[in-house]
Amino acid sequence: MASDLSPNPASDATTVDRVQLERRTTKVLAEDDLPEIDHRAQIDDLIVGAGWAPFHRAAHQAHLDRDDLPSILPWRFYMLDAGACRRLRAFLLERGDVTKIPKMLATADAMIQVTWLPNPSTEPVSGLFKADLANMEHIAAASAAVQNLLLAATARGIANYWSSGGALRSPELFEKLGIPASEILLGSIFFFPQTADRDDVEVRHTKLRDQRGPIEHWARWVDVDG
Ligand SMILES: Cc1cc2nc3c(=O)[nH]c(=O)nc-3n(C[C@H](O)[C@H](O)[C@H](O)COP(=O)(O)O)c2cc1C
């Protein structure tokens, strides 16, 4: 079996390992809009790779009866280019949003609303969705797609950030972006331009990143008595 793990000349394992390590949360904030540069083609490339994430179950039929986005995949991606980000920022500012979200929509080259598709429940549920194995696996699959996306962005030198969404989770925003209310936001994924040469932006990372602890604190080999 060891041969299964030996280096494959057709794949660059070192590159994959490095990109995993390099991926980090990066937020780029500004008070004023940055120029709108069209990166749709590049973002489309990232999306293709994200779509190869594993998924265990088809989305419930209730999510498939639509003309657009009829896939059985348990996630949906709604992509906003730089122009759409700036217009969404203006919309949020008009509503008095003073959070970081409008400041990031001022700089983002793109933002993707990633949703997952919960199985509808026949019984009343407390909380966002019925907490069963099928829904857990839908979330897991959608999360794998997001990680694919972040790694693909990192490999291309695109700074990225997985946000819980804040105001972008609201029913009003879903309606504005044409996202069905039956879907649940897994994250708002921001892609930012290189801004090293600008002094009118603020770049932030997170404190949790360096608090993972050593591998021995979260992984161990398991013995089985034979
Ligand atoms: C599901 C999910 C939601 C997240 N939401 C937020 C968020 O709303 N705000 C934030 O600052 N970071 C958010 N993060 C990013 C984490 O804070 C970040 O991954 C963590 O601090 C580790 O840092 P690193 O990504 O640089 O390794 C989120 C991450 C995940 C997986």
Side-chain angles (χ1 to χ4, degrees):
M1 293 301 288
S3 63
D4 290 342
L5 295 173
S6 61
N8 176 352
S11 77
D12 190 345
T14 310
T15 301
V16 174
D17 294 350
R18 181 176 51 75
V19 171
Q20 287 170 343
L21 195 65
E22 277 179 3
R23 184 218 55 82
R24 73 176 309 186
T25 297
T26 303
K27 306 171 195 176
V28 181
L29 303 91
E31 297 299 333
D32 299 310
D33 287 353
L34 261 53
E36 296 168 19
I37 299 167
D38 183 1
H39 287 294
R40 278 187 180 222
Q42 196 177 24
I43 300 297
D44 282 341
D45 287 345
L46 306 185
I47 303 290
V48 171
W52 285 107
F55 69 108
H56 187 204
R57 301 161 194 265
H60 191 280
Q61 188 61 38
H63 294 288
L64 310 185
D65 290 334
R66 56 191 287 187
D67 292 335
D68 69 330
L69 310 184
S71 168
I72 63 163
L73 288 170
W75 62 74
R76 295 290 182 269
F77 285 17
Y78 300 92
M79 293 113 75
L80 284 78
D81 63 13
C85 287
R86 304 297 180 271
R87 291 188 288 281
L88 186 58
R89 163 184 153 82
F91 176 82
L92 291 174
L93 288 178
E94 265 172 35
R95 271 150 189 75
D97 189 325
V98 292
T99 69
K100 294 190 299 286
I101 299 285
K103 296 184 200 309
M104 294 188 294
L105 289 170
T107 67
D109 280 339
M111 191 276 288
I112 304 179
Q113 292 282 83
V114 177
T115 63
W116 70 278
L117 312 185
N119 292 339
S121 176
T122 47
E123 314 131 32
V125 290
S126 66
L128 276 178
F129 56 90
K130 187 178 176 196
D132 60 9
L133 181 65
N135 276 334
M136 187 194 81
E137 293 195 340
H138 287 331
I139 298 169
S143 300
V146 172
Q147 175 71 350
N148 271 358
L149 193 63
L150 301 184
L151 293 178
T154 302
R156 289 162 175 79
I158 302 170
N160 55 79
Y161 167 43
W162 182 342
S163 165
S164 299
L168 303 176
R169 304 192 71 82
S170 71
E172 186 188 18
L173 252 290
F174 266 47
E175 196 181 335
K176 184 160 183 66
L177 302 179
I179 303 175
S182 56
E183 301 180 14
I184 298 178
L185 190 73
L186 183 62
S188 301
I189 313 301
F190 288 81
F191 296 121
F192 298 109
Q194 292 298 331
T195 53
D197 57 339
R198 302 187 69 106
D199 53 14
D200 56 347
V201 302
E202 183 189 351
V203 177
R204 290 194 202 168
H205 301 290
T206 69
K207 293 193 190 106
L208 280 181
R209 179 174 178 81
D210 299 322
Q211 296 175 27
R212 290 163 203 270
I215 291 166
E216 303 78 49
H217 285 195
W218 53 266
R220 66 177 171 85
W221 291 103
V222 175
D223 273 339
V224 176
D225 294 339

